[in-house]
Amino acid sequence: MNKARTLADVTGLDALPVAAALSGEQAEALRASTQAWIAWVRGDDTITGTALAAALTHHSSRDPLLVLAHRGSWAEGDPTTGHTDPLTDDAAGRLLASGAPDPDISDRIIDGVGRVLDEATRNDAEHAGALAVQAFIAWDQDNTIAAELWAREAMQHDDRCSLARLVYAAVSRGVLPEWKNR
């Protein structure tokens, strides 16, 4: 881990969004799971895989984790627009195009995903979501072999998992992360 920065110093975690359109139990589960991820990324090893699992099953809570893994911060604005919400104006693509992934945070998120997989029940959506996150981070780190394996396994659990399908399509077509094309 970078000695100059610890995971506890990661900025913007309190601003991780959950889709406003969600309500009721699903929204509360995603919010609680998102808060668990914030604590996990900051170094709280007491967080369980069960607490982390829900956030991996819905794009509104999963996608900010992917941006966090790549950028190292959720709060840093998009360099082209100044936005801090990567889910608006196609900013997610621009954020991911901005440079190589942050290995410290990526590794911490991968460890959390591993904890989810270790503790998950046989819920196919939980497994697919966790494996798809691993696949995306592997692809983003230019590990296409692992990305393809995890994407395939995710699709075996849930063939409708859009993130797994996206990663599999990218790997199959030889699409590299934007930072590799610089």
Side-chain angles (χ1 to χ4, degrees):
M1 185 173 300
N2 184 341
K3 301 270 190 232
R5 191 188 84 211
T6 67
L7 291 173
D9 297 329
V10 174
T11 60
L13 289 176
D14 296 324
L16 285 173
V18 172
L22 298 176
S23 62
E25 289 182 25
Q26 182 184 22
E28 287 309 311
L30 290 177
R31 283 186 188 92
S33 187
T34 300
Q35 291 302 312
W37 273 103
I38 291 168
W40 174 262
V41 169
R42 286 186 170 149
D44 184 349
D45 289 330
T46 65
I47 303 297
T48 66
T50 302
L52 299 172
L56 302 179
T57 62
H58 195 275
H59 66 85
S60 71
S61 50
R62 178 199 65 209
D63 292 355
L65 287 171
L66 299 177
V67 173
L68 178 63
H70 181 84
R71 283 291 298 273
S73 172
W74 175 253
E76 292 176 29
D78 176 338
T80 61
T81 67
H83 289 257
T84 58
D85 183 355
L87 303 179
T88 61
D89 300 329
D90 296 323
R94 290 191 302 275
L95 282 169
L96 293 174
S98 64
D102 183 302
D104 296 335
I105 294 177
S106 293
D107 289 348
R108 185 68 178 166
I109 291 173
I110 288 284
D111 290 346
V113 169
R115 187 168 282 202
V116 170
L117 291 170
D118 288 346
E119 296 178 20
T121 61
R122 291 304 311 164
N123 180 325
D124 284 335
E126 285 180 6
H127 277 115
L131 290 164
V133 166
Q134 280 186 313
F136 181 88
I137 292 173
W139 172 81
D140 192 40
Q141 293 178 334
D142 198 28
N143 185 349
T144 57
I145 293 170
E148 181 178 3
L149 291 172
W150 282 326
R152 281 184 185 203
E153 189 175 346
M155 290 185 300
Q156 288 174 350
H157 286 281
D158 181 358
D159 64 353
R160 297 169 297 145
C161 181
S162 59
L163 181 60
R165 293 170 65 97
L166 177 72
V167 171
Y168 184 76
V171 171
S172 298
R173 291 176 175 88
V175 176
L176 298 174
E178 183 65 29
W179 68 266
K180 283 290 288 186
N181 293 321
R182 292 178 187 227

